Amino acid sequence: MKDDRLYAPLLLSLMGLRPAEVCGLRWSDIDLNAATLDMSNTRTLMGNKTVVEKDTKSMAGGRLLPCPRWCVRP
């Protein structure tokens, strides 16, 4: 499965992220030194044309998640 192009989104979904949070994740939200993901943004498609980017669904949605240990290994 690791060679599949959808491996990372599937892993993030298994970690509890909503689909809009997976789509809204940016490289700047990932801190490899602290091994964390900052969930503060979502991205959804409206009307098959317009991408809407906004804050998380609720205040509790904005959270700091740990990265798996193998993900941050040098």
Side-chain angles (χ1 to χ4, degrees):
M1 176 78 190
K2 286 185 180 182
D3 296 329
D4 194 289
R5 68 183 183 90
L6 297 177
Y7 179 68
L10 178 61
L11 178 64
L12 291 169
S13 295
L14 291 173
M15 289 174 58
L17 274 65
R18 296 176 180 99
E21 292 173 331
V22 173
C23 293
L25 193 62
R26 299 179 184 146
W27 283 111
S28 60
D29 297 331
I30 302 169
D31 185 350
L32 293 177
N33 293 326
T36 57
L37 297 173
D38 181 16
M39 295 310 312
S40 57
N41 191 41
T42 64
R43 190 174 294 146
T44 54
L45 185 63
M46 296 189 68
N48 291 332
K49 289 185 180 181
T50 307
V51 176
V52 177
E53 199 167 300
K54 57 185 178 180
D55 292 338
T56 55
K57 186 175 177 181
S58 66
M59 292 299 282
R63 58 204 185 278
L64 203 60
L65 298 174
C67 286
R69 192 174 337 134
W70 60 265
C71 194
V72 294
R73 262 188 305 187

